[in-house]
């Protein structure tokens, strides 16, 4: 279907990117990323002329996809600043780091986002847990309130019945009063038809009394029901109050629980440390893979390379220590110098990136370099039982 030209018609959409391939070498920190860039656009099919004006006619959306390859060395500095990398790498920074699949490469911002995601998940779980309890208690509360309403409705009907019975009883009492007042008249006419009138009067009074007794019995029953309903309503009202208190307690527990979760994750966030960017002299060994990830800086000094599996060492000196270690002795963390090769390839470690560690001692003068190198060879016994083939410069 062709689209006629309209003012403001969209003819091109912003490109959409996806990661097709991702390859990361932890030994060298080199990453190869292949993105697929998909663009959508409309093509002008032809023109039509209307009222002397030439109008373009556009096609439906057409998709065009091309591959974009990027190579980036993911040093610690790059990882910490991956969000600032050029597009599209910056948009896929979270996915890129997650594909590294090792916490030793996780920058501080990634750890922060992971912690916040975990916090949200735990808070959501707590909300559901306590909301479930509140829901159950609310259902119980609704049940009690419904029962109270039912008993109130019954009591209202019973009160109506009581009023009706009371009115009826009052009518009977009035009738009995009238009947009693007429009995003395019957006595005066005893010699004529008085016997019949007296009998009729007594029978009428007797029926009224029977009816009165029946009404009194019904009234007693109604009053008993009213009292029973009243007691039941009082009991249910107490349960309603208990349920409301339980709901308040659950809500308070939820707030306390969520506050504790937030405090716990805040402590985790406060403990986040960024990946080391540059070398810091701490007079200790650091993993070779950590050194590979540091920002390059020219350091003059001595160094020791130690095999963590068998303890064998190599001591050396250089005007550019990091370059000597990471590019001449090793290619990243993979052995390049033959003196380490046998132990490297015979190592039983599952991850050979963990096999070597290094110590760097920055120095200034040639005399210092020669003296410290010899001291290190002796200290770590690297000539007799290590990788050094001499006792050092003399």
């Amino acid at each position: 279907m062709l689209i006629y030209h309209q003012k403001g018609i969209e003819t091109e959409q912003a490109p959409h990117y996806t990661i097709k391939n991702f390859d990361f070498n932890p030994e060298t920190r080199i990453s190869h990323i292949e993105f697929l860039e998909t663009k959508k656009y409309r093509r002008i099919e032809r023109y039509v002329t209307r009222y002397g004006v030439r109008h373009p006619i556009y096609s439906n959306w057409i998709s065009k996809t091309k591959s974009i390859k990027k190579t980036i060395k993911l040093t610690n500095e790059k990882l910490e600043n991956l969000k600032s990398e050029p597009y599209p790498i910056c948009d896929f920074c979270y996915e890129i780091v997650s594909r590294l699949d090792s916490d030793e490469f996780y920058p501080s911002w990634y750890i922060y986002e992971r912690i916040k995601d975990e916090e949200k998940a735990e808070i959501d779980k707590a909300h559901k847990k306590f909301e479930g309890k509140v829901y159950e208690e609310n259902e119980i509360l609704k049940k009690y309130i419904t029962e109270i309403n039912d008993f109130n409705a019954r009591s209202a009907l019973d009160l109506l019945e009581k009023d009706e019975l009371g009115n009826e009883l009052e009518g009977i009492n009035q009738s009995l009063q009238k009947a009693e007042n007429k009995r003395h008249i019957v006595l005066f006419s005893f010699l004529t038809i008085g016997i019949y009138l007296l009998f009729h009067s007594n029978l009428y009074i007797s029926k009224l009394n029977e009816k009165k007794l029946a009404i009194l019995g019904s009234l007693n029953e109604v009053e008993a029901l009213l009292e029973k309903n009243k007691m039941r309503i009082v009991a249910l009202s107490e349960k309603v109050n208990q349920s409301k208190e339980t709901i308040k307690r659950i809500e308070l527990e939820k707030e306390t629980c969520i506050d504790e979760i937030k405090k716990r994750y805040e402590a985790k966030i406060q403990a986040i440390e960024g990946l080391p960017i540059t070398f810091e002299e701490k007079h200790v060994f650091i993993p070779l893979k950590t050194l590979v990830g540091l920002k390059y800086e020219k350091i003059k000094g001595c160094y020791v390379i130690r095999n963590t599996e068998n303890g064998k060492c190599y001591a050396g000196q250089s005007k550019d220590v990091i370059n000597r270690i990471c590019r001449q002795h090793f290619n990243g963390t993979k052995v390049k110098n033959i003196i380490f090769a046998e132990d490297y390839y015979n190592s039983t470690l599952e991850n050979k990136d963990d096999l070597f560690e290094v110590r760097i001692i920055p120095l200034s003068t040639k005399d210092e370099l020669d003296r410290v190198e010899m001291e290190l060879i002796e200290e770590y016994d690297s000539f007799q039982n290590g990788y050094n083939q001499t006792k050092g410069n003399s």
Side-chain angles (χ1 to χ4, degrees), residues 119-134:
E119 179 186 25
K120 184 179 182 303
E122 193 167 340
I123 287 175
D124 289 344
K125 185 178 179 181
H127 272 296
K128 288 179 181 179
K129 172 186 173 183
F130 287 102
E131 283 170 4
K133 291 182 178 181
V134 170

Side-chain angles (χ1 to χ4, degrees), residues 262-274:
K262 288 180 178 179
K263 287 178 182 177
R264 180 156 39 86
Y265 278 94
E266 183 60 31
K268 288 185 178 182
I269 288 171
Q270 294 295 327
I272 293 175
E273 292 184 0

Side-chain angles (χ1 to χ4, degrees), residues 313 375-388:
C313 295
E375 289 174 356
L376 291 172
I377 290 172
E378 183 178 355
E379 179 183 351
Y380 291 101
D381 192 20
S382 61
F383 175 65
Q384 296 292 336
N385 296 295
Y387 298 111
N388 282 94

Side-chain angles (χ1 to χ4, degrees), residues 6 21 93 98 113 185 194 196 212 302 313 316 341 352 356:
Q6 296 176 0
N21 293 308
C93 57
S98 65
E113 291 184 20
I185 300 173
Y196 172 77
K212 179 179 179 180
C302 288
C313 295
K352 289 184 172 59
F356 292 99

Side-chain angles (χ1 to χ4, degrees), residues 95-107:
E95 183 178 348
I96 289 171
V97 174
S98 65
R99 290 193 183 206
L100 301 179
D101 199 28
S102 176
D103 56 4
E104 67 185 276
F105 302 125
Y106 293 163

Side-chain angles (χ1 to χ4, degrees), residues 125-287:
K125 185 178 179 181
H127 272 296
K128 288 179 181 179
K129 172 186 173 183
F130 287 102
E131 283 170 4
K133 291 182 178 181
V134 170
Y135 175 81
E136 291 175 3
E137 199 60 40
N138 270 321
E139 289 299 305
I140 295 171
L141 181 60
K142 287 178 185 177
K143 180 183 175 184
Y144 291 150
I145 291 174
T146 300
E147 287 187 46
I148 288 174
N149 291 336
D150 288 343
F151 280 111
N152 279 327
R154 292 180 199 176
S155 296
L157 291 174
D158 290 340
L159 284 171
L160 286 174
E161 185 178 357
K162 181 181 177 182
D163 290 341
E164 290 175 359
L165 289 171
N167 293 333
E168 191 174 355
L169 181 62
E170 186 178 352
I172 290 174
N173 284 332
Q174 289 177 358
S175 297
L176 281 170
Q177 187 63 43
K178 290 178 182 178
E180 289 292 340
N181 290 338
K182 288 181 179 180
R183 291 184 70 177
H184 69 280
I185 300 173
V186 174
L187 292 175
F188 287 113
S189 56
F190 181 75
L191 295 177
T192 55
I193 60 171
I195 294 175
Y196 172 77
L197 291 172
L198 181 61
F199 175 77
H200 180 74
S201 177
N202 288 338
L203 185 62
Y204 177 65
I205 290 171
S206 177
K207 287 182 178 181
L208 287 174
N209 281 324
E210 287 178 6
K211 195 171 183 180
K212 179 179 179 180
L213 287 174
I215 292 171
L216 287 171
S218 296
L219 274 170
N220 289 334
E221 290 178 4
V222 170
E223 287 176 352
L225 284 173
L226 284 168
E227 185 61 28
K228 185 178 179 181
N229 288 348
K230 181 180 177 182
M231 292 175 65
R232 182 59 180 160
I233 289 169
V234 169
L236 287 170
S237 297
E238 181 61 30
K239 289 185 177 181
V240 165
N241 291 332
Q242 289 175 0
S243 285
K244 288 180 178 179
E245 288 299 318
T246 300
I247 291 170
K248 286 182 182 179
R249 177 178 53 78
I250 293 171
E251 292 287 355
L252 184 61
E253 286 178 3
K254 182 181 78 171
E255 290 178 9
T256 303
C257 177
I258 290 174
D259 284 342
E260 289 175 354
I261 291 172
K262 288 180 178 179
K263 287 178 182 177
R264 180 156 39 86
Y265 278 94
E266 183 60 31
K268 288 185 178 182
I269 288 171
Q270 294 295 327
I272 293 175
E273 292 184 0
L275 293 171
I277 303 298
T278 57
F279 172 76
E280 293 182 13
E281 185 182 5
K282 296 180 179 178
H283 305 288
V284 294
F285 283 88
I286 62 172

